[in-house]
Amino acid sequence: MSPSRSSETSAHERLYRNLRQRIMLGELPPGQALTLRGIAAEHRVSMTPAREAVRRLVAEGALSLSSSGRIATPELSVERIEELAALRGLIEPELASRALPRAHQALIERMAVINAAIGEAAESHDAIGYIRTNLEFHRLLYLRAQAPAMLAIVETVWLQLGPTMRALYGRVKRNEPPRHHRMILASLRAGDEPGLRLAVRADVTHGLRHLGTT
Amino acid sequence: MSPSRSSETSAHERLYRNLRQRIMLGELPPGQALTLRGIAAEHRVSMTPAREAVRRLVAEGALSLSSSGRIATPELSVERIEELAALRGLIEPELASRALPRAHQALIERMAVINAAIGEAAESHDAIGYIRTNLEFHRLLYLRAQAPAMLAIVETVWLQLGPTMRALYGRVKRNEPPRHHRMILASLRAGDEPGLRLAVRADVTHGLRHLGTT
DNA sequence: CATGCCCGCATGTGATCACAAACGGGGCCG
DNA sequence: CGGCCCCGTTTGTGATCACATGCGGGCATG
């Protein structure tokens, strides 16, 4: 076809990034149905790149296939959510700990700025903005850990939790940033490694705890 | 086309499973080049299912694409290997701990049998058999943890390490099962949770430690 | 004999077609 | 009025084709 848009990356890569971002930020509710032809048409490409992007996202747990092959965002069971939260609680403190020696003042200030943005998103009840800035807060720290494989796995977990997080934060009306973020920043400033691990673990575990109200 | 082989699963699923197993067991050395047409021809299907299987494996880190899209098994840097080993050391003790309360006598005996098979594979210098039985030993335990998401992530890590493990075990001539396996079995029998965590962590960390000889 | 260029072929990407299955709505029967 | 069946249509799967790209071997050149 005419390469009207001469983007650097291949078509399926663009579809993949677009879908991945929408899922991770919770723009799609759990159980949302998708079709290959719909995705393809939306991006003005044929079914082939759509198939590859979907296949990739299914492999990462960001989408699920019904027994007959229909595509939808996953509807997570409570057990699975708790398991994914446990994985976050296992890996993220490790990433934070590895990032701590490299976390300079400038980084901490940038994190504080993002934390303020989280507060703004919370005040205006912007669920997607809240999720996005919250993930940015964590990712900015973890990038300093110089551990790409660990970060990739954590992002996969975030991806799987995306639709559920949206449903969760859409219900719980927050007005302020997570309380543990201040503890994370304080521990970073103090160079307090055990405190940082605890703060990160608490932050990660806390948000996913009130699920009994489902 | 004529559905000559009426297998239950779709074609790309069969290709995926076949390739995944070969990679995880270390049948392919690091840097081994593959082609879509080659994979397709080997399984008597068209390129389409081969593409989807490869895409899925790339998403899991089992295969890597060059900048021009060529397919090969990944050649891991030492840093990445250490990171993946750290992930194993983080998650596998947790899985073992969760499996412990459900680990009955019958399970422990089956693990002991597999451990003997590991010894046989080691004696006959059967690298692939060694890797396969070793993973079976761990998987059999972790299945009891009732934590499918964690198990899936650990298996992804195993998958990424597959070609490297082959290169590793092919060089180091082992003659016996990993020494920490006896500690794992003993901790299981004694119901000793902290000991189990330590034994698993040691087992996982130990095997990947002697990399300086590269 | 070493080195760099060049062309042919292998390879991945995307589009399109054919087909089987299953979803779902409308109508029929109890 | 409710439940069930049936058929049209949507949807995923696999095959095949056209094309751009880049790798690699062979030849010419210094």
Side-chain angles (χ1 to χ4, degrees):
Chain A
M1 177 176 280
S2 62
S4 56
R5 288 179 201 74
S6 66
S7 59
E8 275 300 310
T9 61
S10 52
H12 82 256
E13 182 90 13
R14 273 183 291 127
L15 299 213
Y16 168 76
R17 282 195 217 280
N18 181 288
L19 285 172
R20 176 190 160 98
Q21 169 143 327
R22 289 203 292 185
I23 294 167
M24 197 185 301
L25 299 187
E27 295 184 28
L28 303 177
Q32 175 67 249
L34 298 173
T35 66
L36 291 179
R37 285 172 176 85
I39 295 168
E42 185 186 354
H43 292 262
R44 313 302 183 84
V45 293
S46 80
M47 278 172 55
T48 312
R51 259 202 280 189
E52 303 197 21
V54 165
R55 195 64 69 188
R56 199 166 154 187
L57 290 162
V58 169
E60 296 176 15
L63 293 174
S64 68
L65 296 183
S66 77
S67 59
S68 67
R70 301 302 179 89
I71 308 157
T73 53
E75 300 188 78
L76 304 187
S77 64
V78 174
E79 296 79 27
R80 190 159 191 103
I81 293 173
E82 287 176 349
E83 221 187 307
L84 292 170
L87 276 166
R88 290 194 62 182
L90 217 49
I91 302 175
E92 295 197 28
E94 177 71 18
L95 277 167
S97 167
R98 291 181 179 222
L100 178 57
R102 306 180 214 262
H104 307 324
Q105 182 63 28
L107 177 80
I108 300 173
E109 281 168 17
R110 282 171 64 197
M111 288 178 65
V113 170
I114 293 177
N115 199 38
I118 297 177
E120 292 173 19
E123 247 179 280
S124 52
H125 301 305
D126 173 9
I128 294 177
Y130 183 90
I131 295 174
R132 188 186 66 249
T133 47
N134 188 25
L135 293 185
E136 273 174 19
F137 180 88
H138 286 263
R139 177 159 33 215
L140 185 56
L141 176 60
Y142 303 154
L143 274 173
R144 277 297 201 289
Q146 306 278 40
M150 283 191 192
L151 182 56
I153 284 183
V154 166
E155 293 216 14
T156 296
V157 175
W158 292 348
L159 194 57
Q160 294 184 44
L161 284 169
T164 300
M165 296 232 293
R166 160 57 174 276
L168 218 71
Y169 288 114
R171 196 162 54 235
V172 179
K173 296 298 183 192
R174 289 182 163 281
N175 295 315
E176 51 184 8
R179 81 185 73 155
H180 299 290
H181 280 198
R182 299 194 68 81
M183 291 173 52
I184 292 174
L185 292 171
S187 300
L188 283 172
R189 290 200 181 89
D192 173 13
E193 197 264 0
L196 179 62
R197 290 189 104 103
L198 280 176
V200 170
R201 169 165 232 133
D203 179 49
V204 162
T205 304
H206 179 77
L208 284 306
R209 260 314 161 215
H210 35 68
L211 291 172
T213 67
T214 311
Chain B
M1 177 174 280
S2 61
S4 55
R5 288 180 200 73
S6 68
S7 59
E8 275 299 310
T9 60
S10 50
H12 82 256
E13 182 90 13
R14 274 184 291 127
L15 300 213
Y16 168 76
R17 282 196 217 280
N18 181 289
L19 285 172
R20 175 188 160 100
Q21 169 143 326
R22 289 203 293 185
I23 295 168
M24 197 185 302
L25 299 187
E27 295 184 27
L28 303 177
Q32 176 66 248
L34 298 173
T35 66
L36 291 180
R37 285 173 175 85
I39 295 169
E42 185 186 353
H43 292 261
R44 313 301 183 84
V45 293
S46 80
M47 278 173 54
T48 311
R51 261 203 280 189
E52 303 196 20
V54 165
R55 195 64 68 189
R56 198 166 156 188
L57 290 162
V58 169
E60 295 176 4
L63 292 174
S64 68
L65 296 182
S66 77
S67 60
S68 68
R70 299 302 180 87
I71 307 158
T73 52
E75 300 189 78
L76 304 186
S77 64
V78 174
E79 295 80 27
R80 190 160 190 101
I81 293 173
E82 288 176 349
E83 222 188 307
L84 292 170
L87 276 166
R88 289 193 63 182
L90 217 49
I91 302 174
E92 296 197 27
E94 176 69 20
L95 277 167
S97 167
R98 290 180 181 224
L100 178 57
R102 305 179 214 263
H104 307 325
Q105 183 63 27
L107 177 79
I108 300 173
E109 281 169 16
R110 282 171 64 195
M111 288 177 66
V113 170
I114 293 176
N115 199 38
I118 297 176
E120 293 173 19
E123 246 180 280
S124 52
H125 301 305
D126 173 9
I128 294 176
Y130 184 90
I131 295 174
R132 189 186 66 248
T133 47
N134 188 25
L135 293 185
E136 272 174 20
F137 180 88
H138 286 263
R139 177 160 33 216
L140 185 57
L141 176 60
Y142 303 155
L143 274 172
R144 277 298 201 288
Q146 306 279 38
M150 283 191 192
L151 182 56
I153 284 183
V154 166
E155 293 216 12
T156 296
V157 175
W158 292 349
L159 193 59
Q160 294 185 46
L161 284 170
T164 300
M165 297 233 291
R166 160 59 174 273
L168 218 72
Y169 288 114
R171 197 161 54 233
V172 178
K173 297 298 183 192
R174 289 181 164 282
N175 294 316
E176 51 183 9
R179 80 185 74 155
H180 298 290
H181 280 197
R182 299 193 67 83
M183 290 174 53
I184 292 174
L185 291 171
S187 300
L188 284 172
R189 290 202 181 89
D192 174 13
E193 197 264 0
L196 179 62
R197 290 189 103 105
L198 281 176
V200 171
R201 169 165 234 133
D203 179 49
V204 162
T205 305
H206 179 76
L208 283 306
R209 261 315 161 215
H210 37 69
L211 291 171
T213 66
T214 310

Short mmCIF file of all heavy atoms in Angstrom, two decimals, chain B residues 3-34:
data_model
loop_
_atom_site.label_atom_id
_atom_site.label_comp_id
_atom_site.label_asym_id
_atom_site.label_seq_id
_atom_site.Cartn_x
_atom_site.Cartn_y
_atom_site.Cartn_z
N PRO B 3 -7.61 -29.96 6.21
CA PRO B 3 -7.21 -30.17 7.60
C PRO B 3 -6.77 -31.60 7.81
O PRO B 3 -7.42 -32.39 8.49
CB PRO B 3 -8.49 -29.84 8.38
CG PRO B 3 -9.60 -30.16 7.42
CD PRO B 3 -9.05 -29.95 6.04
N SER B 4 -5.63 -31.93 7.20
CA SER B 4 -5.18 -33.32 7.23
C SER B 4 -4.98 -33.79 8.66
O SER B 4 -5.49 -34.84 9.05
CB SER B 4 -3.87 -33.45 6.46
OG SER B 4 -2.90 -32.56 6.98
N ARG B 5 -4.25 -32.99 9.44
CA ARG B 5 -4.07 -33.34 10.84
C ARG B 5 -5.15 -32.62 11.64
O ARG B 5 -5.13 -31.41 11.77
CB ARG B 5 -2.70 -32.91 11.35
CG ARG B 5 -1.56 -33.73 10.80
CD ARG B 5 -0.26 -33.21 11.35
NE ARG B 5 0.87 -33.63 10.53
CZ ARG B 5 1.11 -33.11 9.34
NH1 ARG B 5 0.32 -32.17 8.87
NH2 ARG B 5 2.13 -33.52 8.63
N SER B 6 -6.09 -33.33 12.17
CA SER B 6 -7.16 -32.70 12.93
C SER B 6 -6.73 -32.58 14.38
O SER B 6 -7.19 -33.30 15.23
CB SER B 6 -8.43 -33.51 12.83
OG SER B 6 -8.27 -34.74 13.49
N SER B 7 -5.78 -31.64 14.63
CA SER B 7 -5.37 -31.43 16.01
C SER B 7 -6.34 -30.44 16.65
O SER B 7 -6.92 -29.59 15.99
CB SER B 7 -3.95 -30.87 16.05
OG SER B 7 -3.92 -29.66 15.33
N GLU B 8 -6.48 -30.56 17.94
CA GLU B 8 -7.40 -29.70 18.66
C GLU B 8 -7.01 -28.23 18.55
O GLU B 8 -7.86 -27.37 18.35
CB GLU B 8 -7.44 -30.11 20.13
CG GLU B 8 -8.39 -31.25 20.43
CD GLU B 8 -9.83 -30.90 20.09
OE1 GLU B 8 -10.30 -29.84 20.50
OE2 GLU B 8 -10.48 -31.71 19.38
N THR B 9 -5.72 -27.97 18.68
CA THR B 9 -5.26 -26.59 18.77
C THR B 9 -4.93 -26.03 17.39
O THR B 9 -4.74 -26.76 16.44
CB THR B 9 -4.01 -26.52 19.65
OG1 THR B 9 -3.00 -27.33 19.06
CG2 THR B 9 -4.30 -27.05 21.03
N SER B 10 -4.87 -24.71 17.34
CA SER B 10 -4.58 -24.06 16.07
C SER B 10 -3.12 -24.29 15.71
O SER B 10 -2.30 -24.70 16.53
CB SER B 10 -4.86 -22.56 16.18
OG SER B 10 -4.23 -22.05 17.33
N ALA B 11 -2.83 -24.02 14.45
CA ALA B 11 -1.48 -24.31 13.95
C ALA B 11 -0.44 -23.45 14.65
O ALA B 11 0.60 -23.96 15.06
CB ALA B 11 -1.43 -24.06 12.44
N HIS B 12 -0.71 -22.18 14.82
CA HIS B 12 0.33 -21.33 15.41
C HIS B 12 0.58 -21.74 16.85
O HIS B 12 1.68 -21.58 17.36
CB HIS B 12 -0.05 -19.84 15.32
CG HIS B 12 -0.97 -19.38 16.38
ND1 HIS B 12 -2.31 -19.16 16.17
CD2 HIS B 12 -0.75 -19.09 17.69
CE1 HIS B 12 -2.86 -18.76 17.29
NE2 HIS B 12 -1.96 -18.71 18.24
N GLU B 13 -0.44 -22.30 17.50
CA GLU B 13 -0.25 -22.78 18.87
C GLU B 13 0.72 -23.96 18.89
O GLU B 13 1.60 -24.03 19.77
CB GLU B 13 -1.61 -23.20 19.45
CG GLU B 13 -1.56 -23.67 20.89
CD GLU B 13 -1.75 -22.52 21.87
OE1 GLU B 13 -2.16 -21.44 21.43
OE2 GLU B 13 -1.47 -22.73 23.06
N ARG B 14 0.57 -24.86 17.92
CA ARG B 14 1.51 -25.99 17.87
C ARG B 14 2.92 -25.51 17.61
O ARG B 14 3.87 -25.93 18.28
CB ARG B 14 1.08 -26.96 16.77
CG ARG B 14 0.06 -27.99 17.23
CD ARG B 14 -0.25 -28.96 16.12
NE ARG B 14 -1.00 -28.32 15.04
CZ ARG B 14 -0.66 -28.34 13.76
NH1 ARG B 14 0.44 -28.97 13.39
NH2 ARG B 14 -1.40 -27.74 12.86
N LEU B 15 3.08 -24.61 16.64
CA LEU B 15 4.42 -24.07 16.39
C LEU B 15 4.97 -23.40 17.64
O LEU B 15 6.14 -23.59 18.01
CB LEU B 15 4.38 -23.01 15.27
CG LEU B 15 3.90 -23.39 13.89
CD1 LEU B 15 4.65 -22.57 12.85
CD2 LEU B 15 4.08 -24.86 13.62
N TYR B 16 4.12 -22.62 18.29
CA TYR B 16 4.56 -21.91 19.49
C TYR B 16 5.06 -22.89 20.54
O TYR B 16 6.16 -22.75 21.07
CB TYR B 16 3.40 -21.07 20.04
CG TYR B 16 3.65 -20.53 21.42
CD1 TYR B 16 4.50 -19.46 21.62
CD2 TYR B 16 3.05 -21.12 22.53
CE1 TYR B 16 4.74 -18.97 22.88
CE2 TYR B 16 3.28 -20.63 23.80
CZ TYR B 16 4.13 -19.55 23.97
OH TYR B 16 4.36 -19.09 25.23
N ARG B 17 4.27 -23.89 20.83
CA ARG B 17 4.66 -24.86 21.86
C ARG B 17 5.96 -25.57 21.49
O ARG B 17 6.85 -25.74 22.33
CB ARG B 17 3.56 -25.90 22.06
CG ARG B 17 2.39 -25.42 22.87
CD ARG B 17 1.55 -26.61 23.33
NE ARG B 17 0.13 -26.31 23.33
CZ ARG B 17 -0.48 -25.62 24.30
NH1 ARG B 17 0.20 -25.16 25.31
NH2 ARG B 17 -1.78 -25.40 24.24
N ASN B 18 6.06 -25.96 20.24
CA ASN B 18 7.26 -26.66 19.80
C ASN B 18 8.49 -25.78 19.96
O ASN B 18 9.50 -26.21 20.56
CB ASN B 18 7.07 -27.09 18.33
CG ASN B 18 8.26 -27.85 17.79
OD1 ASN B 18 9.33 -27.27 17.58
ND2 ASN B 18 8.10 -29.14 17.58
N LEU B 19 8.42 -24.57 19.45
CA LEU B 19 9.58 -23.68 19.54
C LEU B 19 9.89 -23.34 20.98
O LEU B 19 11.05 -23.33 21.40
CB LEU B 19 9.30 -22.40 18.75
CG LEU B 19 9.38 -22.53 17.23
CD1 LEU B 19 8.90 -21.24 16.57
CD2 LEU B 19 10.80 -22.83 16.81
N ARG B 20 8.85 -23.07 21.75
CA ARG B 20 9.04 -22.69 23.15
C ARG B 20 9.77 -23.79 23.91
O ARG B 20 10.71 -23.53 24.66
CB ARG B 20 7.68 -22.42 23.79
CG ARG B 20 7.75 -22.15 25.28
CD ARG B 20 6.35 -22.10 25.88
NE ARG B 20 6.35 -22.29 27.30
CZ ARG B 20 6.27 -21.31 28.20
NH1 ARG B 20 6.19 -20.08 27.79
NH2 ARG B 20 6.26 -21.57 29.48
N GLN B 21 9.34 -25.02 23.68
CA GLN B 21 9.99 -26.13 24.37
C GLN B 21 11.45 -26.24 23.96
O GLN B 21 12.34 -26.41 24.80
CB GLN B 21 9.25 -27.44 24.07
CG GLN B 21 10.01 -28.65 24.55
CD GLN B 21 9.10 -29.73 25.09
OE1 GLN B 21 8.07 -29.46 25.68
NE2 GLN B 21 9.48 -30.96 24.88
N ARG B 22 11.69 -26.15 22.66
CA ARG B 22 13.07 -26.29 22.19
C ARG B 22 13.95 -25.20 22.76
O ARG B 22 15.12 -25.42 23.07
CB ARG B 22 13.10 -26.26 20.66
CG ARG B 22 12.51 -27.53 20.06
CD ARG B 22 13.03 -27.77 18.67
NE ARG B 22 12.56 -26.76 17.73
CZ ARG B 22 12.79 -26.81 16.44
NH1 ARG B 22 13.48 -27.79 15.92
NH2 ARG B 22 12.33 -25.86 15.64
N ILE B 23 13.39 -24.00 22.88
CA ILE B 23 14.21 -22.90 23.41
C ILE B 23 14.43 -23.07 24.90
O ILE B 23 15.55 -22.94 25.39
CB ILE B 23 13.52 -21.55 23.11
CG1 ILE B 23 13.47 -21.30 21.61
CG2 ILE B 23 14.25 -20.41 23.83
CD1 ILE B 23 12.57 -20.16 21.20
N MET B 24 13.35 -23.41 25.63
CA MET B 24 13.48 -23.50 27.09
C MET B 24 14.44 -24.61 27.49
O MET B 24 15.17 -24.48 28.47
CB MET B 24 12.11 -23.72 27.74
CG MET B 24 12.12 -23.41 29.24
SD MET B 24 10.58 -23.76 30.10
CE MET B 24 9.42 -22.76 29.23
N LEU B 25 14.45 -25.69 26.74
CA LEU B 25 15.31 -26.81 27.08
C LEU B 25 16.74 -26.62 26.56
O LEU B 25 17.59 -27.48 26.78
CB LEU B 25 14.73 -28.11 26.54
CG LEU B 25 13.35 -28.48 27.09
CD1 LEU B 25 12.94 -29.86 26.61
CD2 LEU B 25 13.33 -28.41 28.60
N GLY B 26 16.95 -25.54 25.86
CA GLY B 26 18.30 -25.27 25.43
C GLY B 26 18.73 -26.05 24.19
O GLY B 26 19.92 -26.27 23.98
N GLU B 27 17.76 -26.46 23.37
CA GLU B 27 18.16 -27.18 22.16
C GLU B 27 18.75 -26.23 21.13
O GLU B 27 19.39 -26.68 20.19
CB GLU B 27 16.96 -27.94 21.58
CG GLU B 27 16.47 -29.05 22.51
CD GLU B 27 15.33 -29.85 21.88
OE1 GLU B 27 15.28 -29.93 20.65
OE2 GLU B 27 14.51 -30.39 22.65
N LEU B 28 18.49 -24.95 21.30
CA LEU B 28 19.04 -23.97 20.36
C LEU B 28 20.10 -23.14 21.07
O LEU B 28 19.85 -22.60 22.14
CB LEU B 28 17.92 -23.05 19.85
CG LEU B 28 16.73 -23.76 19.18
CD1 LEU B 28 15.66 -22.75 18.80
CD2 LEU B 28 17.18 -24.54 17.97
N PRO B 29 21.28 -23.04 20.49
CA PRO B 29 22.34 -22.24 21.12
C PRO B 29 22.02 -20.75 20.99
O PRO B 29 21.22 -20.35 20.14
CB PRO B 29 23.57 -22.61 20.30
CG PRO B 29 23.04 -23.00 18.97
CD PRO B 29 21.71 -23.64 19.23
N PRO B 30 22.63 -19.92 21.84
CA PRO B 30 22.42 -18.47 21.73
C PRO B 30 22.88 -17.97 20.37
O PRO B 30 23.89 -18.42 19.84
CB PRO B 30 23.31 -17.90 22.85
CG PRO B 30 23.58 -19.04 23.77
CD PRO B 30 23.53 -20.27 22.94
N GLY B 31 22.10 -17.06 19.79
CA GLY B 31 22.45 -16.50 18.50
C GLY B 31 22.02 -17.33 17.31
O GLY B 31 22.28 -16.96 16.17
N GLN B 32 21.36 -18.46 17.58
CA GLN B 32 20.89 -19.32 16.49
C GLN B 32 19.88 -18.57 15.63
O GLN B 32 18.88 -18.08 16.12
CB GLN B 32 20.25 -20.58 17.06
CG GLN B 32 19.64 -21.50 16.02
CD GLN B 32 20.69 -22.11 15.11
OE1 GLN B 32 20.76 -21.82 13.94
NE2 GLN B 32 21.52 -22.97 15.68
N ALA B 33 20.15 -18.49 14.33
CA ALA B 33 19.25 -17.77 13.43
C ALA B 33 18.09 -18.67 13.01
O ALA B 33 18.25 -19.87 12.84
CB ALA B 33 20.01 -17.29 12.20
N LEU B 34 16.93 -18.07 12.87
CA LEU B 34 15.74 -18.78 12.39
C LEU B 34 15.10 -17.93 11.29
O LEU B 34 15.29 -16.72 11.25
CB LEU B 34 14.74 -18.99 13.53
CG LEU B 34 15.21 -19.83 14.72
CD1 LEU B 34 14.17 -19.80 15.83
CD2 LEU B 34 15.47 -21.26 14.28
#
